[in-house]
Structure formats: structure tokens, C-alpha cells
């Protein structure tokens, strides 16, 4: 994402970098919880509260950069909430019953990022939004397929259980 942002004007590059950094920290709060020796849900709630302020009152470089990008490009706070809620699902849900369930998760952790990026990059009309949502889901599914083994070893099975059952694969993947 950062390499491609070089094609954007400097103001948009900074905003894309802030978006990336905000998303990276949000994801790391859950993915690296054991290393951080913290309560990831409480940390995630605190992080969201800090990201939600209209004006950054905390002198954290990512919060300051994100507050500027969010205000400058009118990024809806609802996307940030949906991202945080999606990331939090990794702490609460280890399996998805159907593709629709998985798509809801994928929306939260990926489509929201694309929707926020659209505000930075720009778009002509609202007709682009459903395509951004679908692209986010598709990219997340691609990540899931790439990481099936690693996810399984960590106790997560993102592949829809009903589809695993239909192909007789679910018993091999469940611990």
C-alpha cells in the first residue's frame, strides 16, 4: 500500500500512510496480544477511544496523523468502529459457519480499509462503494487462503464450516 501511494499527491500520501499505520496498530493489538502481555479487548477499546476524538489530544504520532487525515478527508468514524469491531472478532470467534458469516468478518477487517482509502484517494459517485466492499472481501479471502495453515495452527479456521462439511474436510481441520 505504501509503495503505490507514491503516485498520489503529498497530502494524500501522508493520509494513506496514516491510514496504514492506524490499521497496523489496530490489527497488532489483537495479533500480538501475547507479546504485549495485555488485555487485547481493553487495549482495543482504549485505542478506539483515542482514535475517536475529533481533535487529537494525545501526542502519539499515529493518532495525530490519523486525526488530521480523518478530518481533512472526511472519513466517517463509523468505518473506524467497524474496523475495530472486525479485528476484535479474532479474539471472540475462531470459526465461521457460512460464507456470509465470513463475508461479514471480511467486511470489518478489509472492506472498511478500502472505504476509508476511497475518501483519501477520491471517487466520483456512490456507485463505487459496493465495488470497494466486494474488493475488500475478495482481498481478505485471498489472505485467508494464503494463511490457512498458519491460522489453523493458531486455532483459527476461517474457511466456512458448512463448505468444509460439504467436502468432508471439516474433521481434518477441527482440533
Amino acid at each position: 500500500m505504501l509503495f503505490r501511494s507514491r503516485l498520489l499527491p503529498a497530502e494524500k500520501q501522508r493520509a494513506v500512510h496514516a491510514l496504514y499505520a492506524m490499521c497496523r496498530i489496530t490489527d497488532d493489538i489483537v495479533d500480538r496480544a501475547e507479546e504485549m502481555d495485555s488485555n487485547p479487548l481493553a487495549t482495543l477499546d482504549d485505542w478506539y477511544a483515542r482514535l475517536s476524538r475529533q481533535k487529537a489530544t494525545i501526542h502519539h504520532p499515529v493518532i495525530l496523523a490519523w486525526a488530521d487525515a480523518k478530518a481533512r478527508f472526511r472519513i466517517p468514524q463509523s468505518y473506524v468502529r467497524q474496523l475495530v469491531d472486525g479485528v476484535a472478532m479474532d479474539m471472540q470467534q475462531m470459526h465461521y459457519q457460512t460464507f456470509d458469516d465470513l463475508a461479514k468478518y471480511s467486511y470489518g477487517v478489509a472492506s472498511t480499509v478500502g472505504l476509508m482509502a476511497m475518501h483519501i484517494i477520491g471517487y466520483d459517485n456512490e456507485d463505487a462503494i459496493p465495488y470497494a466492499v466486494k474488493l475488500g472481501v475478495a482481498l481478505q479471502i485471498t489472505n485467508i487462503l494464503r494463511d490457512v495453515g498458519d491460522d489453523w495452527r493458531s486455532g483459527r479456521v476461517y474457511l466456512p464450516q458448512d463448505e468444509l462439511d460439504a467436502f468432508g474436510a471439516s474433521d481434518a481441520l477441527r482440533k
Side-chain angles (χ1 to χ4, degrees):
M1 183 155 101
L2 297 178
F3 178 76
R4 299 286 189 261
S5 70
R6 290 186 201 168
L7 302 174
L8 298 171
E11 178 181 72
K12 290 184 178 191
Q13 283 182 39
R14 286 189 299 275
V16 167
H17 293 190
L19 171 62
Y20 176 83
M22 182 273 294
C23 292
R24 179 78 271 137
I25 291 171
T26 303
D27 195 46
D28 283 350
I29 289 169
V30 171
D31 287 350
R32 299 178 64 202
E34 289 178 19
E35 295 171 34
M36 296 177 179
D37 196 30
S38 66
N39 175 341
L41 292 177
T43 305
L44 204 53
D45 285 344
D46 177 62
W47 178 245
Y48 175 73
R50 295 166 73 190
L51 293 172
S52 299
R53 295 191 177 103
Q54 291 290 25
K55 266 193 137 167
T57 55
I58 299 166
H59 297 292
H60 182 290
V62 173
I63 291 173
L64 291 169
W66 176 246
D68 178 68
K70 188 173 65 167
R72 188 178 304 261
F73 294 99
R74 297 185 183 114
I75 299 169
Q77 184 63 29
S78 61
Y79 293 150
V80 180
R81 175 80 262 170
Q82 292 167 342
L83 171 69
V84 169
D85 290 346
V87 169
M89 289 176 74
D90 276 337
M91 296 302 301
Q92 302 158 344
Q93 189 166 350
M94 300 297 174
H95 297 87
Y96 293 87
Q97 187 58 38
T98 67
F99 182 83
D100 286 343
D101 297 335
L102 182 59
K104 288 176 191 169
Y105 165 76
S106 297
Y107 172 88
V109 298
S111 296
T112 56
V113 179
L115 293 167
M116 289 185 273
M118 284 177 63
H119 284 270
I120 296 167
I121 296 165
Y123 57 100
D124 291 335
N125 61 55
E126 304 292 316
D127 292 343
I129 292 173
Y131 295 105
V133 170
K134 289 177 184 176
L135 178 60
V137 170
L139 291 172
Q140 185 61 30
I141 299 299
T142 300
N143 286 344
I144 288 167
L145 293 173
R146 180 196 66 209
D147 297 337
V148 165
D150 290 339
D151 290 333
W152 180 74
R153 282 186 285 284
S154 69
R156 295 184 183 134
V157 178
Y158 291 100
L159 302 175
Q161 294 298 303
D162 64 349
E163 293 183 28
L164 291 172
D165 290 342
F167 291 98
S170 62
D171 289 343
L173 291 175
R174 290 189 189 143
K175 286 187 175 183

